[in-house]
Amino acid sequence: MSDYVLVTGGAGYIGSHSVLALMEAGYNPIVLDNFSNSSKESITGIGKIYGNTPIVIEGDVGNSSLVMDIFSNYDVNSVLHFSGLKSVEESMADPLKYYIENVGSSLSLLRTMQAASIHTIIFSSSATVYDPESQVPYTENSPTNPINPYGHTKLCIEQILQGLVSSNPKWRVGILRYFNPVGAHPSGHIGEDPKQTPNNLMPLLMQTAIGRKEKLLIFGDDYDTPDGTCIRDYIHVLDLARGHLSALSYLERHQGLHIWNLGTGTGTSIKELVDKVREVTGVEIKTEITSRRLGDSSKAVADPEKAKSELSWHPEYSIGNMCADHWNWQRQNPDGYQ
Ligand code: NAD
Ligand code: UFG
């Protein structure tokens, strides 16, 4: 197989693990990344694991002449579109930035793809598109109603993709709604290292375990859940990366737009996750219960049956594996990529 796959945001957390999976499966990924939230060390890490690094082009996805040059220079058949901004909190403080960056650059990418007659794309969507009031587990048909601008940008891009497919049957679109990605490659050569201060639970838990933070704040223990803390569906980033390969192979055989949840279907509460991290690390992690965080839903759990039956994709890693691999990454790289 010598197909080129353009991977926007391929140096980032999920992108780097997916680029590795593509290379291992015989694809030729081309990483397009402006490194606004990633490090070139992730590419070096891929090289350490695989023995070879992918083609890397530093630049912005919204730069249509650069993207057209890539399409002219390489025989690109499909695009994995990871790039974008992802902080819910920041999106509430600066919504325009999110609409411009996420929706604006996706529009530019799609227009360039259309001009180059490239019609296959897999888009990184999110569980945040679902209505937090609806019943869990969420199926792909559960009602959508994002409650923050970040989630709105994801749903908006999904709708733009729907419009494209309706306008031209040549399009092959895979929308992957990720639940809560955690973990790292077991080698410890690639992992999660955002440039901004993390506000997701797992990186903060790991920073507490390694001693960079004194304690973990738990945002509320008065939710309608068995132990009162919020429940999420954590999924190993390697399972997520494999999901992209399965989706790509499905799109090679099917036109149209297809949506799949990528989650395990198992919910874990914050207290359960803290206990698991204590067990895996052997560190007594201090926690403090504080008030609820604005915009949090009590439960977000996937129904992954559609991905399992249509894509023959099954998550392989347990919550223990996720914590162990994330801890291994954190211990080998206490300050992230150097
Ligand atoms: P990440 O920030 O690690 O990766 C995004 C990458 O895109 C980074 O390398 C960044 O430098 C790059 N980038 C950003 N804007 C760019 C631009 N205009 N041009 C070129 N490169 C650009 O994030 P991630 O966790 O790997 O997430 C990947 C995708 O998955 C995002 O679209 C995110 O919204 C989505 N997602 C993430 C999560 C999560 O919890 N990590 C959950 C659901 C969905
Ligand atoms: N939490 C704490 N303390 C912290 C950080 C988080 O108690 O210091 C809690 C949150 O309140 C929430 C849970 O841990 O109940 C998980 O929070 P995260 O921020 O890790 O994850 P979210 O479920 O809020 O959102 C994440 C990503 C989104 C993505 C979504 C998909 O941030 O980008 O998962 O479900 F879209």
Side-chain angles (χ1 to χ4, degrees):
M1 210 182 305
S2 63
D3 296 357
Y4 286 101
V5 180
L6 179 66
V7 185
T8 76
Y13 173 42
I14 305 168
S16 57
H17 289 83
S18 302
V19 165
L20 175 64
L22 283 168
M23 292 172 81
E24 287 171 341
Y27 289 92
N28 283 321
I30 302 171
V31 172
L32 172 61
D33 204 300
N34 65 6
F35 297 97
S36 58
N37 197 37
S38 54
S39 158
K40 291 182 181 158
E41 284 301 307
S42 65
I43 304 298
T44 312
I46 293 172
K48 283 183 190 159
I49 300 166
Y50 185 68
N52 249 325
T53 52
I55 299 164
V56 178
I57 293 165
E58 182 166 357
D60 202 284
V61 173
N63 179 345
S64 53
S65 57
L66 173 66
V67 175
M68 190 47 105
D69 281 350
I70 298 173
F71 291 156
S72 307
N73 293 334
Y74 300 94
D75 191 12
V76 173
N77 291 316
S78 48
V79 176
L80 263 53
H81 181 30
F82 294 97
S83 69
L85 304 178
K86 62 166 183 174
S87 161
V88 170
E89 230 171 18
E90 189 189 30
S91 81
M92 295 199 284
D94 193 352
L96 282 182
K97 181 175 173 183
Y98 272 66
Y99 287 107
I100 292 165
E101 284 293 330
N102 289 0
V103 182
S105 58
S106 298
L107 280 174
S108 170
L109 172 68
L110 291 168
R111 199 165 52 173
T112 313
M113 284 178 68
Q114 184 167 261
S117 292
I118 296 168
H119 294 107
T120 302
I121 183 167
I122 294 181
F123 171 59
S124 302
S125 189
S126 162
T128 48
V129 300
Y130 290 114
D131 184 342
E133 298 299 320
S134 48
Q135 285 289 325
V136 295
Y138 300 140
T139 72
E140 291 77 0
N141 293 325
S142 292
T144 53
N145 180 26
I147 55 168
N148 53 63
Y150 166 73
H152 270 128
T153 67
K154 291 292 176 190
L155 190 57
C156 185
I157 298 163
E158 286 194 8
Q159 287 163 346
I160 290 165
L161 289 165
Q162 181 68 68
L164 273 182
V165 170
S166 306
S167 75
N168 181 347
K170 281 187 180 164
W171 280 95
R172 294 163 190 256
V173 174
I175 290 174
L176 299 180
R177 292 179 177 161
Y178 311 153
F179 280 68
N180 288 59
V182 294
H185 191 273
S187 64
H189 292 314
I190 53 175
E192 184 174 18
D193 180 30
K195 285 193 176 160
Q196 297 156 347
T197 315
N199 51 21
N200 292 123
L201 182 60
M202 187 63 109
L204 288 166
L205 247 173
M206 290 296 158
Q207 290 196 355
T208 315
I210 205 126
R212 274 170 66 184
K213 274 178 66 71
E214 189 213 333
K215 63 186 169 197
L216 178 86
L217 297 179
I218 294 180
F219 300 140
D221 67 349
D222 56 352
Y223 284 95
D224 174 26
T225 60
D227 67 20
T229 64
C230 292
I231 290 177
R232 293 290 181 272
D233 184 341
Y234 298 95
I235 174 164
H236 199 296
V237 66
L238 290 184
D239 278 333
L240 211 54
R242 236 173 358 90
H244 292 76
L245 293 186
S246 308
L248 200 52
S249 141
Y250 186 92
L251 293 183
E252 282 158 9
R253 291 170 282 119
H254 299 87
Q255 293 179 320
L257 180 138
H258 310 272
I259 302 179
W260 296 286
N261 284 336
L262 290 185
T264 64
T266 302
T268 304
S269 76
I270 301 175
K271 283 185 177 168
E272 286 170 337
L273 190 67
V274 172
D275 284 343
K276 190 49 82 179
V277 172
R278 283 180 179 140
E279 183 189 315
V280 162
T281 62
V283 177
E284 186 38 58
I285 294 158
K286 269 203 217 164
T287 60
E288 183 184 315
I289 307 293
T290 176
S291 49
R292 290 182 178 198
R293 186 173 71 175
L294 200 70
D296 273 339
S297 59
S298 64
K299 295 177 201 140
V301 178
D303 177 340
E305 285 313 312
K306 187 165 181 268
K308 285 182 179 173
S309 63
E310 290 184 354
L311 302 179
S312 304
W313 167 87
H314 296 267
E316 287 173 1
Y317 295 91
S318 69
I319 195 77
N321 301 141
M322 299 178 211
C323 296
D325 287 340
H326 212 120
W327 177 234
N328 181 47
W329 156 256
Q330 181 74 61
R331 255 195 324 184
Q332 287 193 41
N333 308 272
D335 300 313
Y337 290 117
Q338 289 304 304

